[in-house]
């Protein structure tokens, strides 16, 4: 992660969750769990499995990420050097049982799902906080009349609470989608060299055991070549970032000098104009959405790969998912900050409405107020 | 639809389902249903509603699409001229009740969902057929040994049935995803000028009535500004096209002269080389996937729009969804044709395997065979 | 082309320039020119070449596009059936000389360049008109003070002429880029089955002759597998549409009720709110940019294809370029319409400036005025 | 940069060229050069300018990137905190002259161009090396007969030199494009708060002076809101990565066990199958192309921004350009490694040709050989 301008595009927690250290840890968790389930199946001696698990835990902190990264260039993935490193730190007996039955893709795919799980947990929590903010605004401003605008033109009166309820609806939906993927679609992968291992009963049991060990779903079928869950993740991340960016865009538009209905709690400074109050967080949220969207295309595109393992599309998934998680977190975080302490100028809302609504236009905002109630009800029901 | 090379990128049925005529019909169905539910609510006289419904049905065939299209440029959508046309063909009394409470976006959004429904129905059926083909190949070739290939290198033996079972898994998943969206996410939209109508009890009843009338879902909340269902559609279409393109890519690779394990039933001719047998359908399936993927980016990107109606992003949805449906149908259809009468050379599979597998490599294909059984079981369970 | 809402996304002239009829004509022009240059080389009897040329001209109007489109699905391109049709209408003697030395890709690629040429000619002309509009606004409003806005916040005074000069700069650049591609990069392709024909002296002469015949560039090297010119076209079309969309976006923002500094000459009507004046053309320009951008990704992505002819990426180029041309024309045309008769409220510009600029902010607009002069000078120099 | 798997997607030199340190250096070079040209114009005392320049040079190494990155989140760009830091290390007198006349965007945009220049220099050099490799292969294998393949089907004989000459053509073109942008389109930006500064004579001189100081182009017009050069960069990077990925794809395809005509000099190891020789570098080159392409969409899309500075699109450019440079370097570097020591099996080429070409197919490869000569001639002329 670039440290100069990328902090604006992510959060420290997400940067940690998809860091090299997190990836290494996730890969080693796979290798440890694999030994464990092999021991449960009686294929690996229990003591050996314990040794491997302990080594995996210990290796976490000492493994030379740069060395592995360099070797990864040679082999096309970091699995070969990491497994080599693991074999070096265990006894000769245990070395032969390390990575048993597995192929590089099993390690990477399962690690990717562990990474995705932690990332989604962060995002679901962040979206919950953002939803709370929207809900609070919706409740507080349920009756605050303001201009509704379509195609950026004055339309009819709404309330600011109704606008916030619309934001809330988007965040609820984004959270629902990520939570659903988190629960159903983050599955272990163990297929062996050509992806078939899980087909046979012994393999099925290993897969089921792995799922239990790692707290991931047991996929009905191996997904070595069925990448749609990764594409779904990409799309859901883009939609979550977009739900945040929609709020950010509205905040930017309402913050315009000529509109003046809201301003970010802590405005950004200009290097040239002391009087400026920039909606800096919202601006960054929009940029982060753009970045997320770009990576979602990579992840959706990876679905069509060659034969039993793709020659390029699969390898493109790792950085794309990493970047998508980073950027999505940034979009959500910056939007939260934009709403945190948001200055709402209800007088300005009233005066803009008075100034821009034709005399004969309908004035009633009952439907808008009821929309707030409906959205809050859905939010509370969603828990 | 371009008639010279686009037929390769879609199907006649889909071209019809997303045609101008279909869009007009869908828009008029909305207007008719709106009158009906207003009549049910006692807001519109029953006779007037019947007149409007009849006019909508009648207008279908006589409306001047080109004239409406020209006027749509002026107003930014075809709703204004279509509603004008509808008002012209009903009595003066009825004219005042046409499009009552609705805004252009209500018409377009609900029509888009009706269009999507028909498109998804076609795709789900086409994917079912494609799944059948994959299942047949999987069953028939459950034990046909062939080389498994990762990164396009010889790996270990699988069976051709196992490969087809992998294709099947992708198609089942794609179908499941589209069917889910079809059932849950295609919802009516009726929000009025600023999207709030459904918030109030009377509006809620209209929305619920519309949903019943049109056979679409009743959304919990209005989605005038919550566009994620359109983005989800885009992603699901891309993934469906991609699941087909994955098959097509494998067919192309297996069809290579040096591999020679399969060839399309009806091969394409070359304009220059009489001896060539081109995997023309598979090639077109891949091109169609690329086209679908591009539109999915537009649809995902549309989630972040301005205020109560977006000034550009929303309008980009209509052609993008239309194109995505067309192209997705093409990807699936061409893949079906590629598999239809697919020539499978089991001897060549055997000889390639013998030639390319090292003497000491494992030979067992039990897991591959069992993978077939597992996938077929999932397929049968999916119904 | 969809007739219901696509007219807003293109122009009639562009729809014609990339139509089926235009593609057929371009393909036949290639076949005719090929016979001519073969005759010049003494390979084909002059009378035969004349017969073929005449047949190509005649076939234009009578060829059954739907039949060719249907057969194109079988062969993966419309060339095989079109060449078949051409052979059927010439004498048996001539039939053997039709499409001599060429492969399908030669026909499609050269036709694509002819299509691109006509499309670029239209776009360059449209961009010139749009540039004139911008230049007129820049000159007329050179001294019209208004607020400059960064991050959508009040910054410092500029003039409206200066803003229009900025628009102008973008359009000049977009036009320059397209004109450059038009002049240098639209080249004939004649490579024969594996793309090598132009390597040998006789082939070189054919290529040079074709270039002369068709008024396209003579490429230094064949480009059967070197697709970057198509990618460059895609990028240049996206940038041209984007230069227009930048204007459209500013018009939309300036048209906001709270800003009120400009409004489109002919505003769009709302189906629900009689008082609304929608910036409908600008909105459609933005949507058209989005569509162009999506296709540019397809065209850039097509650069990496398999061996001597790509199995999917190449075939994706035809509809993508067609769509990109249509949408780019739409972006430019709608922006032109938005500026045509644009209502400029100079009083409002003055009052917004007065209201929003801090008392101690610099007031000088000399640099802005001089920016107008500079841009106009560049524009006049560009001719 | 992720260190675990991103090394495969870039080069150390590029990682350094677009690093935080490089960005800070570039930003400070702008600030220093700005003081210098102000001194030349007599606006800033010479001694003060020297002090600022010295401070910029000194600050390079001591500036706290993390602190600046954190503050950048607040202000929406790292310029405010960096300028603050600069002001803190100079005398009170000099502090007032730091960043004089400039706005944050001037610093970021000019820094971005300096970063792009170094990145393009690296890429042009890498592409030259890759071109040399292709040229060597083309020359060495000018007469090595092999099968030409279209749509992945046996077509007609070519030579391996001819294929390499095709690769060369793509690399020459990619290099030409980047070199052209490097020479013509990397321009300084100095516009002040609303981008107009360069319009006035004094400002023009500053811009010209900056261009001289920094070795960048003097733009005819300011480009604060005319972002097409950034989009062009994105497209050119995608096309360069694609030209490399085209080679990589061919290498992967030729490396297939059934084809066996080439293999990478240093093959990647599998974690599960000792016999495998993976084309690991080529695979990574393709993944890196995918990543570049995604970012090119962001950069092209940024062309349409709001008013005098975009609220999101501009900020998205910095990471997108950074990522595009990284990934493009990776695509080129991995392809170079793939070709470095490439094993070419001429016997296999001969036997595949014999096995797959129909008896009556043309055998002549003169045109292919001449294609080699033509490409080499172009390459030598390009220098």
């Amino acid at each position: 992660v670039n440290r100069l301008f990328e902090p604006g595009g992510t959060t420290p927690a997400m940067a940690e969750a998809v860091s090299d250290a997190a990836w290494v840890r996730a890969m080693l968790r796979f290798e440890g769990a694999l030994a464990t389930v092999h021991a449960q199946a009686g294929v690996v001696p229990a003591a050996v499995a314990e040794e491997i698990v302990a080594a995996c835990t210990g290796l976490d902190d000492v493994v030379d990420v740069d060395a592995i990264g360099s070797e990864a260039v040679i082999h096309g993935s970091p699995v070969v050097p990491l497994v080599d490193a693991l074999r070096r730190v265990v006894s000769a007996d245990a070395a032969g049982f390390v990575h048993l039955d597995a192929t590089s893709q099993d390690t990477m795919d399962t690690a990717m799902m562990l990474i995705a799980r932690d990332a989604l947990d962060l995002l679901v929590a962040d979206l919950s906080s953002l939803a709370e903010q929207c809900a609070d605004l919706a409740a507080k401003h349920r009756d605050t009349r303001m201009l509704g605008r379509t195609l950026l033109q004055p339309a009819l009166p709404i309330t600011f609470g109704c606008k916030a309820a619309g934001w809330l609806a988007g965040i609820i939906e984004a959270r629902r989608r990520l939570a659903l993927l988190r629960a159903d679609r983050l599955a272990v992968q163990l297929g062996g060299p050509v992806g078939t291992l899980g087909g046979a009963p012994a393999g099925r049991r290993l897969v089921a055991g792995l799922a239990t060990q790692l707290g991931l779903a047991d996929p009905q079928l191996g997904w070595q070549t069925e990448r749609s869950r990764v594409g779904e993740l990409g799309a859901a991340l883009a939609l979550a970032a977009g739900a945040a960016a929609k709020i950010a865009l509205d905040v930017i538009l309402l913050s315009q000098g000529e509109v003046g209905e809201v301003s970010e709690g802590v405005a950004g400074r200009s290097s040239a104009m002391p009087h400026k109050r920039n909606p800096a967080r919202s601006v960054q949220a929009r940029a982060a959405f753009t970045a997320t969207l770009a990576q979602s295309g990579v992840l959706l595109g990876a679905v069509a790969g060659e034969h039993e393992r793709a020659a390029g599309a699969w390898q493109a998934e790792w950085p794309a998912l990493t970047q998508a998680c980073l950027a999505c977190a940034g979009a959500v975080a910056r939007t939260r900050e934009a709403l945190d302490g948001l200055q709402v100028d209800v007088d300005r809302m009233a005066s803009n409405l008075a100034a821009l609504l034709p005399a004969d236009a309908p004035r009633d905002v009952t439907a808008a107020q009821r929309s707030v109630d409906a959205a809050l009800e859905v939010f509370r029901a969603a828990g």
Side-chain angles (χ1 to χ4, degrees), chain A residues 135 138-139 141-143 157-169 172 365-380:
Chain A
H141 293 283
R142 178 183 181 277
D143 307 324
I158 57 171
T159 68
F160 182 52
C162 166
K163 180 182 279 282
W167 298 345
L168 174 61
I172 293 172
V365 295
T366 311
Q369 291 163 318
R370 296 298 184 86
S371 292
V372 175
D373 304 339
L376 289 176
E377 196 174 322
V378 169
F379 177 53
R380 280 185 219 109

mmCIF file of all heavy atoms in Angstrom, chain A residues 135 138-139 141-143 157-169 172 365-380:
data_model
loop_
_atom_site.group_PDB
_atom_site.id
_atom_site.type_symbol
_atom_site.label_atom_id
_atom_site.label_comp_id
_atom_site.label_asym_id
_atom_site.label_seq_id
_atom_site.Cartn_x
_atom_site.Cartn_y
_atom_site.Cartn_z
ATOM 1 N N ALA A 135 -29.216 6.210 9.615
ATOM 2 C CA ALA A 135 -30.475 6.057 10.347
ATOM 3 C C ALA A 135 -30.669 7.227 11.317
ATOM 4 O O ALA A 135 -31.783 7.757 11.453
ATOM 5 C CB ALA A 135 -30.481 4.725 11.103
ATOM 6 N N ALA A 138 -31.643 10.144 9.351
ATOM 7 C CA ALA A 138 -33.010 9.967 8.862
ATOM 8 C C ALA A 138 -34.021 10.268 9.963
ATOM 9 O O ALA A 138 -35.022 10.965 9.736
ATOM 10 C CB ALA A 138 -33.193 8.538 8.331
ATOM 11 N N ALA A 139 -33.742 9.745 11.145
ATOM 12 C CA ALA A 139 -34.674 9.961 12.263
ATOM 13 C C ALA A 139 -34.696 11.423 12.675
ATOM 14 O O ALA A 139 -35.764 12.026 12.846
ATOM 15 C CB ALA A 139 -34.270 9.068 13.440
ATOM 16 N N HIS A 141 -33.871 14.066 11.044
ATOM 17 C CA HIS A 141 -34.356 15.020 10.040
ATOM 18 C C HIS A 141 -35.573 14.500 9.281
ATOM 19 O O HIS A 141 -35.797 14.900 8.144
ATOM 20 C CB HIS A 141 -33.214 15.389 9.081
ATOM 21 C CG HIS A 141 -32.128 16.159 9.747
ATOM 22 N ND1 HIS A 141 -32.248 17.483 10.051
ATOM 23 C CD2 HIS A 141 -30.896 15.783 10.208
ATOM 24 C CE1 HIS A 141 -31.143 17.907 10.660
ATOM 25 N NE2 HIS A 141 -30.297 16.896 10.763
ATOM 26 N N ARG A 142 -36.290 13.618 9.945
ATOM 27 C CA ARG A 142 -37.484 13.043 9.312
ATOM 28 C C ARG A 142 -38.385 14.138 8.750
ATOM 29 O O ARG A 142 -38.963 13.997 7.659
ATOM 30 C CB ARG A 142 -38.268 12.240 10.345
ATOM 31 C CG ARG A 142 -39.564 11.638 9.828
ATOM 32 C CD ARG A 142 -40.294 10.916 10.957
ATOM 33 N NE ARG A 142 -41.526 10.296 10.501
ATOM 34 C CZ ARG A 142 -42.685 10.944 10.377
ATOM 35 N NH1 ARG A 142 -42.747 12.225 10.646
ATOM 36 N NH2 ARG A 142 -43.764 10.298 9.953
ATOM 37 N N ASP A 143 -38.474 15.248 9.438
ATOM 38 C CA ASP A 143 -39.429 16.284 9.043
ATOM 39 C C ASP A 143 -38.751 17.548 8.508
ATOM 40 O O ASP A 143 -39.415 18.563 8.294
ATOM 41 C CB ASP A 143 -40.307 16.635 10.249
ATOM 42 C CG ASP A 143 -40.940 15.393 10.850
ATOM 43 O OD1 ASP A 143 -41.287 14.476 10.082
ATOM 44 O OD2 ASP A 143 -41.048 15.326 12.089
ATOM 45 N N PRO A 157 -40.680 18.829 -2.960
ATOM 46 C CA PRO A 157 -40.118 18.774 -1.618
ATOM 47 C C PRO A 157 -39.946 17.339 -1.140
ATOM 48 O O PRO A 157 -40.790 16.473 -1.427
ATOM 49 C CB PRO A 157 -41.167 19.489 -0.748
ATOM 50 C CG PRO A 157 -42.095 20.158 -1.683
ATOM 51 C CD PRO A 157 -42.029 19.428 -2.973
ATOM 52 N N ILE A 158 -38.881 17.106 -0.450
ATOM 53 C CA ILE A 158 -38.722 15.870 0.324
ATOM 54 C C ILE A 158 -38.316 16.335 1.723
ATOM 55 O O ILE A 158 -38.462 17.498 2.050
ATOM 56 C CB ILE A 158 -37.659 14.924 -0.272
ATOM 57 C CG1 ILE A 158 -36.297 15.627 -0.381
ATOM 58 C CG2 ILE A 158 -38.092 14.409 -1.627
ATOM 59 C CD1 ILE A 158 -35.155 14.700 -0.766
ATOM 60 N N THR A 159 -37.824 15.405 2.515
ATOM 61 C CA THR A 159 -37.192 15.834 3.767
ATOM 62 C C THR A 159 -35.760 15.316 3.734
ATOM 63 O O THR A 159 -35.445 14.365 3.002
ATOM 64 C CB THR A 159 -37.908 15.287 5.013
ATOM 65 O OG1 THR A 159 -37.714 13.865 5.064
ATOM 66 C CG2 THR A 159 -39.392 15.602 4.969
ATOM 67 N N PHE A 160 -34.913 15.935 4.516
ATOM 68 C CA PHE A 160 -33.533 15.466 4.546
ATOM 69 C C PHE A 160 -33.482 14.060 5.135
ATOM 70 O O PHE A 160 -32.670 13.227 4.741
ATOM 71 C CB PHE A 160 -32.646 16.431 5.343
ATOM 72 C CG PHE A 160 -31.213 16.016 5.368
ATOM 73 C CD1 PHE A 160 -30.524 15.724 4.193
ATOM 74 C CD2 PHE A 160 -30.526 15.900 6.584
ATOM 75 C CE1 PHE A 160 -29.192 15.327 4.216
ATOM 76 C CE2 PHE A 160 -29.199 15.500 6.603
ATOM 77 C CZ PHE A 160 -28.528 15.211 5.425
ATOM 78 N N GLY A 161 -34.385 13.796 6.051
ATOM 79 C CA GLY A 161 -34.461 12.448 6.588
ATOM 80 C C GLY A 161 -34.779 11.432 5.507
ATOM 81 O O GLY A 161 -34.251 10.318 5.503
ATOM 82 N N CYS A 162 -35.608 11.828 4.589
ATOM 83 C CA CYS A 162 -35.961 10.934 3.488
ATOM 84 C C CYS A 162 -34.747 10.662 2.607
ATOM 85 O O CYS A 162 -34.527 9.534 2.159
ATOM 86 C CB CYS A 162 -37.102 11.569 2.704
ATOM 87 S SG CYS A 162 -37.414 10.846 1.110
ATOM 88 N N LYS A 163 -33.954 11.687 2.368
ATOM 89 C CA LYS A 163 -32.726 11.477 1.596
ATOM 90 C C LYS A 163 -31.797 10.521 2.337
ATOM 91 O O LYS A 163 -31.253 9.570 1.751
ATOM 92 C CB LYS A 163 -32.035 12.811 1.342
ATOM 93 C CG LYS A 163 -30.744 12.691 0.533
ATOM 94 C CD LYS A 163 -30.049 14.028 0.321
ATOM 95 C CE LYS A 163 -30.659 14.819 -0.808
ATOM 96 N NZ LYS A 163 -30.236 14.324 -2.143
ATOM 97 N N ALA A 164 -31.630 10.761 3.639
ATOM 98 C CA ALA A 164 -30.765 9.893 4.433
ATOM 99 C C ALA A 164 -31.319 8.468 4.480
ATOM 100 O O ALA A 164 -30.564 7.491 4.513
ATOM 101 C CB ALA A 164 -30.606 10.458 5.845
ATOM 102 N N ALA A 165 -32.641 8.360 4.460
ATOM 103 C CA ALA A 165 -33.250 7.025 4.439
ATOM 104 C C ALA A 165 -32.935 6.308 3.135
ATOM 105 O O ALA A 165 -32.760 5.086 3.101
ATOM 106 C CB ALA A 165 -34.758 7.138 4.637
ATOM 107 N N GLY A 166 -32.856 7.064 2.062
ATOM 108 C CA GLY A 166 -32.450 6.483 0.782
ATOM 109 C C GLY A 166 -31.011 5.999 0.843
ATOM 110 O O GLY A 166 -30.688 4.915 0.346
ATOM 111 N N TRP A 167 -30.147 6.799 1.454
ATOM 112 C CA TRP A 167 -28.762 6.353 1.650
ATOM 113 C C TRP A 167 -28.743 5.060 2.465
ATOM 114 O O TRP A 167 -28.034 4.109 2.131
ATOM 115 C CB TRP A 167 -27.951 7.420 2.409
ATOM 116 C CG TRP A 167 -27.814 8.727 1.725
ATOM 117 C CD1 TRP A 167 -28.057 9.030 0.415
ATOM 118 C CD2 TRP A 167 -27.373 9.975 2.330
ATOM 119 N NE1 TRP A 167 -27.793 10.364 0.184
ATOM 120 C CE2 TRP A 167 -27.373 10.963 1.323
ATOM 121 C CE3 TRP A 167 -26.988 10.340 3.618
ATOM 122 C CZ2 TRP A 167 -26.997 12.293 1.568
ATOM 123 C CZ3 TRP A 167 -26.605 11.654 3.877
ATOM 124 C CH2 TRP A 167 -26.609 12.621 2.855
ATOM 125 N N LEU A 168 -29.545 5.091 3.542
ATOM 126 C CA LEU A 168 -29.623 3.927 4.431
ATOM 127 C C LEU A 168 -30.026 2.672 3.653
ATOM 128 O O LEU A 168 -29.444 1.602 3.845
ATOM 129 C CB LEU A 168 -30.640 4.217 5.548
ATOM 130 C CG LEU A 168 -30.971 3.087 6.509
ATOM 131 C CD1 LEU A 168 -29.729 2.633 7.278
ATOM 132 C CD2 LEU A 168 -32.075 3.515 7.492
ATOM 133 N N ALA A 169 -30.997 2.836 2.789
ATOM 134 C CA ALA A 169 -31.469 1.680 2.015
ATOM 135 C C ALA A 169 -30.318 1.069 1.216
ATOM 136 O O ALA A 169 -30.169 -0.156 1.139
ATOM 137 C CB ALA A 169 -32.611 2.105 1.082
ATOM 138 N N ILE A 172 -27.926 -0.715 3.710
ATOM 139 C CA ILE A 172 -28.520 -1.979 4.180
ATOM 140 C C ILE A 172 -28.339 -3.064 3.118
ATOM 141 O O ILE A 172 -27.943 -4.191 3.394
ATOM 142 C CB ILE A 172 -30.036 -1.807 4.469
ATOM 143 C CG1 ILE A 172 -30.261 -0.881 5.657
ATOM 144 C CG2 ILE A 172 -30.697 -3.158 4.703
ATOM 145 C CD1 ILE A 172 -31.740 -0.516 5.867
ATOM 146 N N VAL A 365 -45.133 16.623 2.198
ATOM 147 C CA VAL A 365 -43.992 15.726 2.353
ATOM 148 C C VAL A 365 -44.340 14.480 3.178
ATOM 149 O O VAL A 365 -43.456 13.787 3.663
ATOM 150 C CB VAL A 365 -42.776 16.445 2.990
ATOM 151 C CG1 VAL A 365 -42.245 17.533 2.073
ATOM 152 C CG2 VAL A 365 -43.139 17.000 4.361
ATOM 153 N N THR A 366 -45.614 14.224 3.283
ATOM 154 C CA THR A 366 -46.021 13.055 4.065
ATOM 155 C C THR A 366 -45.371 11.770 3.554
ATOM 156 O O THR A 366 -44.849 10.961 4.341
ATOM 157 C CB THR A 366 -47.560 12.896 4.013
ATOM 158 O OG1 THR A 366 -48.148 14.156 4.314
ATOM 159 C CG2 THR A 366 -48.008 11.841 4.996
ATOM 160 N N ALA A 367 -45.392 11.609 2.253
ATOM 161 C CA ALA A 367 -44.810 10.383 1.690
ATOM 162 C C ALA A 367 -43.332 10.296 2.026
ATOM 163 O O ALA A 367 -42.801 9.211 2.324
ATOM 164 C CB ALA A 367 -45.038 10.330 0.182
ATOM 165 N N ALA A 368 -42.654 11.428 1.983
ATOM 166 C CA ALA A 368 -41.226 11.435 2.314
ATOM 167 C C ALA A 368 -41.019 11.039 3.772
ATOM 168 O O ALA A 368 -40.143 10.232 4.107
ATOM 169 C CB ALA A 368 -40.628 12.814 2.041
ATOM 170 N N GLN A 369 -41.851 11.592 4.637
ATOM 171 C CA GLN A 369 -41.731 11.250 6.058
ATOM 172 C C GLN A 369 -41.997 9.771 6.290
ATOM 173 O O GLN A 369 -41.280 9.101 7.031
ATOM 174 C CB GLN A 369 -42.713 12.104 6.869
ATOM 175 C CG GLN A 369 -42.320 13.576 6.891
ATOM 176 C CD GLN A 369 -43.470 14.467 7.314
ATOM 177 O OE1 GLN A 369 -44.609 14.270 6.890
ATOM 178 N NE2 GLN A 369 -43.163 15.472 8.134
ATOM 179 N N ARG A 370 -43.021 9.277 5.616
ATOM 180 C CA ARG A 370 -43.344 7.855 5.769
ATOM 181 C C ARG A 370 -42.238 6.972 5.184
ATOM 182 O O ARG A 370 -42.000 5.851 5.653
ATOM 183 C CB ARG A 370 -44.675 7.524 5.079
ATOM 184 C CG ARG A 370 -45.889 8.227 5.708
ATOM 185 C CD ARG A 370 -46.081 7.781 7.176
ATOM 186 N NE ARG A 370 -47.285 8.358 7.763
ATOM 187 C CZ ARG A 370 -48.500 7.817 7.648
ATOM 188 N NH1 ARG A 370 -48.662 6.680 6.987
ATOM 189 N NH2 ARG A 370 -49.533 8.397 8.197
ATOM 190 N N SER A 371 -41.568 7.476 4.186
ATOM 191 C CA SER A 371 -40.442 6.722 3.623
ATOM 192 C C SER A 371 -39.347 6.542 4.666
ATOM 193 O O SER A 371 -38.664 5.516 4.714
ATOM 194 C CB SER A 371 -39.858 7.458 2.405
ATOM 195 O OG SER A 371 -40.769 7.446 1.336
ATOM 196 N N VAL A 372 -39.170 7.559 5.477
ATOM 197 C CA VAL A 372 -38.204 7.444 6.566
ATOM 198 C C VAL A 372 -38.615 6.317 7.502
ATOM 199 O O VAL A 372 -37.814 5.435 7.848
ATOM 200 C CB VAL A 372 -38.110 8.771 7.354
ATOM 201 C CG1 VAL A 372 -37.204 8.608 8.571
ATOM 202 C CG2 VAL A 372 -37.624 9.898 6.456
ATOM 203 N N ASP A 373 -39.872 6.335 7.903
ATOM 204 C CA ASP A 373 -40.355 5.301 8.821
ATOM 205 C C ASP A 373 -40.144 3.905 8.235
ATOM 206 O O ASP A 373 -39.701 2.986 8.931
ATOM 207 C CB ASP A 373 -41.847 5.523 9.112
ATOM 208 C CG ASP A 373 -42.127 6.928 9.653
ATOM 209 O OD1 ASP A 373 -41.190 7.575 10.178
ATOM 210 O OD2 ASP A 373 -43.274 7.396 9.525
ATOM 211 N N ALA A 374 -40.474 3.795 6.959
ATOM 212 C CA ALA A 374 -40.352 2.484 6.316
ATOM 213 C C ALA A 374 -38.900 2.012 6.296
ATOM 214 O O ALA A 374 -38.595 0.848 6.593
ATOM 215 C CB ALA A 374 -40.909 2.560 4.887
ATOM 216 N N ALA A 375 -37.997 2.917 5.961
ATOM 217 C CA ALA A 375 -36.584 2.527 5.887
ATOM 218 C C ALA A 375 -36.046 2.181 7.269
ATOM 219 O O ALA A 375 -35.292 1.210 7.428
ATOM 220 C CB ALA A 375 -35.762 3.648 5.254
ATOM 221 N N LEU A 376 -36.448 2.952 8.257
ATOM 222 C CA LEU A 376 -35.969 2.667 9.611
ATOM 223 C C LEU A 376 -36.505 1.323 10.096
ATOM 224 O O LEU A 376 -35.803 0.579 10.792
ATOM 225 C CB LEU A 376 -36.392 3.800 10.566
ATOM 226 C CG LEU A 376 -35.641 5.125 10.347
ATOM 227 C CD1 LEU A 376 -36.184 6.213 11.273
ATOM 228 C CD2 LEU A 376 -34.134 4.948 10.569
ATOM 229 N N GLU A 377 -37.714 1.025 9.707
ATOM 230 C CA GLU A 377 -38.291 -0.262 10.089
ATOM 231 C C GLU A 377 -37.496 -1.425 9.470
ATOM 232 O O GLU A 377 -37.160 -2.400 10.131
ATOM 233 C CB GLU A 377 -39.745 -0.299 9.632
ATOM 234 C CG GLU A 377 -40.574 -1.383 10.261
ATOM 235 C CD GLU A 377 -42.048 -1.233 9.846
ATOM 236 O OE1 GLU A 377 -42.524 -0.065 9.745
ATOM 237 O OE2 GLU A 377 -42.676 -2.256 9.594
ATOM 238 N N VAL A 378 -37.208 -1.265 8.222
ATOM 239 C CA VAL A 378 -36.405 -2.295 7.549
ATOM 240 C C VAL A 378 -35.039 -2.407 8.212
ATOM 241 O O VAL A 378 -34.511 -3.507 8.437
ATOM 242 C CB VAL A 378 -36.236 -1.954 6.049
ATOM 243 C CG1 VAL A 378 -35.187 -2.852 5.392
ATOM 244 C CG2 VAL A 378 -37.567 -2.079 5.317
ATOM 245 N N PHE A 379 -34.460 -1.280 8.546
ATOM 246 C CA PHE A 379 -33.143 -1.282 9.181
ATOM 247 C C PHE A 379 -33.184 -1.998 10.523
ATOM 248 O O PHE A 379 -32.337 -2.838 10.820
ATOM 249 C CB PHE A 379 -32.655 0.160 9.358
ATOM 250 C CG PHE A 379 -31.333 0.273 10.062
ATOM 251 C CD1 PHE A 379 -30.214 -0.447 9.623
ATOM 252 C CD2 PHE A 379 -31.179 1.100 11.169
ATOM 253 C CE1 PHE A 379 -28.993 -0.333 10.274
ATOM 254 C CE2 PHE A 379 -29.953 1.218 11.823
ATOM 255 C CZ PHE A 379 -28.865 0.493 11.366
ATOM 256 N N ARG A 380 -34.200 -1.672 11.309
ATOM 257 C CA ARG A 380 -34.293 -2.311 12.628
ATOM 258 C C ARG A 380 -34.546 -3.811 12.476
ATOM 259 O O ARG A 380 -33.960 -4.627 13.189
ATOM 260 C CB ARG A 380 -35.404 -1.652 13.448
ATOM 261 C CG ARG A 380 -34.933 -0.339 14.066
ATOM 262 C CD ARG A 380 -35.966 0.291 14.988
ATOM 263 N NE ARG A 380 -35.962 1.747 14.819
ATOM 264 C CZ ARG A 380 -36.923 2.443 14.230
ATOM 265 N NH1 ARG A 380 -38.006 1.830 13.764
ATOM 266 N NH2 ARG A 380 -36.818 3.760 14.105
#
